[in-house]
Amino acid sequence: MKKLFTLTSIASAIAALALISGCQTTGGSQSVVAQKEALLAQSGFKVITVTTPQQQQAVNGLTQGRVSAVKYNGKLYYVYPTATKDKIYVGKQKHFNAYKQNLTAQQGQQQMAGQSLEPTLETAGPHNVEIQQFGGFGPMGVNAMGDW
């Protein structure tokens, strides 16, 4: 009887630890998304609101949690959908390069602090990404984004 009680206690403790770990992971991934969006804004990406069904369809085709390279009117853009997919971050090559540098620097700081990192490095770019055609949005160039 004592062995059964001990075994049950151990199983309960393991289940509780698993539950606590699961809760921490959810909060951590939300934190990673918030950090990515802050880095995108800091790197010069502009936020565009998704307003039409055609735009929503285009955004739904993007990979969640990752910057995707897209072609729009023959020009290369980098696009990141928000978690709610009601807005997107849009940048050009120089913005994406700045984002990668900022992301790498932030990950280096977190590693030096001994924090565990989720794999967050982006792989979009002209040499290692499948570029999608992206439609439904108005001009994404200088006129729509201000002095860009």
Side-chain angles (χ1 to χ4, degrees), residues 30-54:
Q30 289 175 349
S31 172
V32 169
V33 169
Q35 287 176 354
K36 275 188 167 190
E37 290 181 5
L39 284 175
L40 289 164
Q42 176 186 346
S43 301
F45 278 69
K46 303 295 180 187
V47 178
I48 296 178
T49 302
V50 177
T51 56
T52 68
Q54 187 180 8

Side-chain angles (χ1 to χ4, degrees), residues 11-130:
S12 297
I14 290 172
L17 287 174
L19 183 61
I20 290 170
S21 296
C23 292
Q24 289 175 345
T25 301
T26 301
S29 64
Q30 289 175 349
S31 172
V32 169
V33 169
Q35 287 176 354
K36 275 188 167 190
E37 290 181 5
L39 284 175
L40 289 164
Q42 176 186 346
S43 301
F45 278 69
K46 303 295 180 187
V47 178
I48 296 178
T49 302
V50 177
T51 56
T52 68
Q54 187 180 8
Q55 292 174 348
Q56 187 64 52
Q57 184 178 7
V59 171
N60 285 337
L62 296 172
T63 303
Q64 186 66 34
R66 183 173 160 233
V67 177
S68 299
V70 298
K71 271 209 172 170
Y72 181 76
N73 287 340
K75 294 183 180 178
L76 180 66
Y77 294 94
Y78 295 90
V79 181
Y80 179 88
T82 60
T84 55
K85 294 192 175 189
D86 61 342
K87 295 180 181 155
I88 58 172
Y89 286 82
V90 179
K92 293 183 179 179
Q93 184 68 53
K94 67 180 181 179
H95 305 118
F96 182 69
N97 292 344
Y99 168 70
K100 286 194 308 186
Q101 286 179 337
N102 291 335
L103 183 61
T104 302
Q106 183 183 42
Q107 287 178 333
Q109 290 171 354
Q110 288 176 341
Q111 285 176 339
M112 288 174 59
Q115 297 174 351
S116 173
L117 294 174
E118 292 183 31
T120 57
L121 278 177
E122 303 295 339
T123 58
H127 302 293
N128 58 355
V129 72
E130 179 179 317

